[in-house]
Amino acid sequence: MKSRFPAPLAGLLGFGLLLLSLAPAAAQLFETKAGQAFMIDAETGTVLFSKDADRPIQPASLAKLMTMEVVFNAIKSGRVTLDDTFVVSENAWRTGGAPSGTSTMFAKLKSTIRLEDLIQGVTVQAANDGCIIIAEGFAGSEANFATEMTERARQIGLEKSTFVNSTGLPADGQQTTVRELALLALHIWRSYPDLYRYYGQKDFTWNKITQRNRNPLLAMDIGADGLAIGRSEASGFGVVGSVSHSGRRVVAAMSGLASDRERAEEARKLLDWGLRSFQKTEIFTKDEVVGEAQVFGGSKSGVALKAKAPVVIFLPIANRDKLIAKIVYDGPVAAPVEEGQPVGALRVWIGDTLSQETPLFAAESIGVGSLPQRALDAAKELAVGWLR
């Protein structure tokens, strides 16, 4: 993997960018008590914060986000409607209902419930009976539905999340990461705007019992409109939250917190920092050359690289000296090179967080060089190739 410093970048931004290999060890720009945390800007995909974000954790009730994704996708595709009804089985009633002592919407045994009411039971009340009723109605059994959850996770790009049930109740083999939980939440917000609104609903009444939304962020007047909380013995207290303010939205996931109070405080601090401490910056315009990649056996020794769209990122208002950028590619790139050919990527770090990765493409075509040019490149490779 080769790297090349994009010379135009420093002048454009007005401050120096350092090659990763030359920069001292970077430090986090924010401190949190969470064991794992991840936050992303919804518009640009800029990763604003990451702490042990890929460590597998038990999702607990945060698994219900994947349950709802399957449901929302089925509604969007026309597989089901909000008016479809589902029967409350004895298994759903006993495992997730009133006898279970867990989060429940108090569904009555053998009653029928509209899907929209089940959705509200799950998104507002974290109802385990609601999840199981949906799972059995969709797939015949909760195990079958959990398989569908995992398959759907892979389809939307979640490679580590594996689900064993629809509720998040403890089960061997059930795992996710805070990175994938945040990306899942962002996907739900983007893909199902008309259904995402249920996550911001303040309360829901079913079976003459009113329960308030369990998400503490909704009561903080910080622009929060979702999503969920969870707790497990292995992973502690966790939360996935989304906040919108002044045209910006950030999504965060946290785990490994010690209490309800600590979860609420740490989530609020992280989301507030994400909204207030970054500034949107276009670091390259559309079709602007970002840098160059070395070419082997070509009529030119290098090929100009550019992105397909403007490169926009949210940068910290303070600590801009913590920014690190480099172009990475497998190289040298063998000639011929076609204009538009994918070559590498521009990677930008903020502190020790890989904040954004933008694909780069050849900005020009490079033909095969003359025999002397190819011979010279071959000699160079023999001389220095072993150093890579």
Side-chain angles (χ1 to χ4, degrees):
M1 185 75 77
K2 299 273 276 186
S3 66
R4 182 67 64 88
F5 178 56
L9 200 53
L12 178 66
L13 295 180
F15 54 86
L17 276 82
L18 303 176
L19 278 172
L20 180 64
S21 59
L22 299 180
Q28 284 283 16
L29 305 182
F30 180 86
E31 297 294 332
T32 177
K33 296 176 182 177
Q36 300 81 35
F38 184 83
M39 181 168 61
I40 189 169
D41 170 73
E43 179 190 357
T44 64
T46 303
V47 177
L48 305 175
F49 184 80
S50 181
K51 177 182 178 182
D52 209 8
D54 298 310
R55 178 185 293 275
I57 62 169
Q58 289 185 9
S61 280
L62 298 177
K64 295 179 174 76
L65 293 173
M66 194 70 233
T67 299
M68 287 296 96
E69 199 289 329
V70 173
V71 173
F72 292 170
N73 183 58
I75 294 170
K76 185 176 181 178
S77 68
R79 176 180 166 189
V80 295
T81 73
L82 290 172
D83 290 323
D84 285 353
T85 58
F86 295 80
V87 176
V88 182
S89 71
E90 182 171 353
N91 175 59
W93 175 76
R94 193 172 299 281
T95 305
S100 70
T102 65
S103 302
T104 178
M105 62 186 290
F106 297 99
K108 290 182 179 180
L109 176 63
K110 298 184 180 179
S111 64
T112 57
I113 304 179
R114 290 175 64 247
L115 180 57
E116 184 174 22
D117 294 322
L118 290 168
I119 289 171
Q120 292 174 91
V122 174
T123 57
V124 177
Q125 302 170 346
N128 289 322
D129 49 357
C131 289
I132 299 170
I133 294 164
I134 288 171
E136 293 177 341
F138 267 62
S141 72
E142 194 174 9
N144 289 343
F145 187 79
T147 298
E148 186 174 342
M149 290 169 66
T150 301
E151 290 174 352
R152 180 65 184 155
R154 298 295 177 271
Q155 291 171 11
I156 62 175
L158 309 184
E159 298 181 353
K160 296 185 178 181
S161 297
T162 300
F163 301 95
V164 179
N165 58 45
S166 63
T167 61
L169 290 171
D172 291 341
Q174 187 147 263
Q175 67 173 37
T176 186
T177 69
V178 291
R179 183 191 301 272
E180 294 196 349
L181 285 170
L183 294 176
L184 172 58
L186 183 57
H187 163 80
I188 291 172
W189 172 75
R190 283 175 173 166
S191 302
Y192 316 109
D194 54 333
L195 298 168
Y196 174 82
R197 62 183 175 85
Y198 290 114
Y199 283 107
Q201 187 171 319
K202 296 297 178 67
D203 55 56
F204 178 60
T205 300
W206 186 256
N207 199 13
K208 299 181 180 180
I209 300 172
T210 299
Q211 298 183 70
R212 293 191 61 79
N213 196 308
R214 295 169 180 264
N215 185 350
L217 298 175
L218 297 181
M220 292 182 180
D221 195 28
I222 58 172
D225 54 16
L227 294 154
I229 60 172
R231 176 186 176 274
S232 72
E233 291 296 329
S235 299
F237 290 77
V239 59
V240 177
S242 181
V243 171
S244 177
H245 182 70
S246 300
R248 279 200 64 204
R249 177 176 295 273
V250 295
V251 179
M254 308 177 83
S255 182
L257 292 154
S259 66
D260 280 318
R261 180 176 179 178
E262 185 172 88
R263 170 172 58 195
E265 290 175 349
E266 291 297 300
R268 178 172 187 163
K269 282 165 46 182
L270 180 63
L271 290 163
D272 274 346
W273 176 76
L275 284 173
R276 296 174 179 174
S277 302
F278 291 82
Q279 183 176 35
K280 185 177 179 181
T281 306
E282 183 178 275
I283 58 176
F284 288 102
T285 61
K286 184 180 179 181
D287 294 327
E288 183 176 0
V289 172
V290 175
E292 185 179 88
Q294 183 182 351
V295 174
F296 174 81
S299 56
K300 292 177 62 176
S301 61
V303 58
L305 303 177
K306 64 180 182 180
K308 287 189 173 181
V311 180
V312 180
I313 190 170
F314 275 87
L315 299 176
I317 295 171
N319 299 307
R320 288 202 168 193
D321 59 325
K322 301 296 184 183
L323 189 67
I324 302 166
K326 73 173 179 179
I327 294 171
V328 293
Y329 63 99
D330 291 325
V333 181
V337 180
E338 297 294 328
E339 183 177 356
Q341 175 181 325
V343 174
L346 173 67
R347 292 179 183 169
V348 180
W349 283 260
I350 299 173
D352 59 3
T353 295
L354 176 58
S355 190
Q356 193 172 84
E357 181 169 332
T358 303
L360 296 178
F361 303 84
E364 57 186 329
S365 295
I366 306 293
V368 176
S370 64
L371 184 59
Q373 286 174 317
R374 285 180 283 157
L376 179 60
D377 284 351
K380 290 179 181 178
E381 278 298 294
L382 285 174
V384 304
W386 65 274
L387 293 173
R388 293 194 188 95

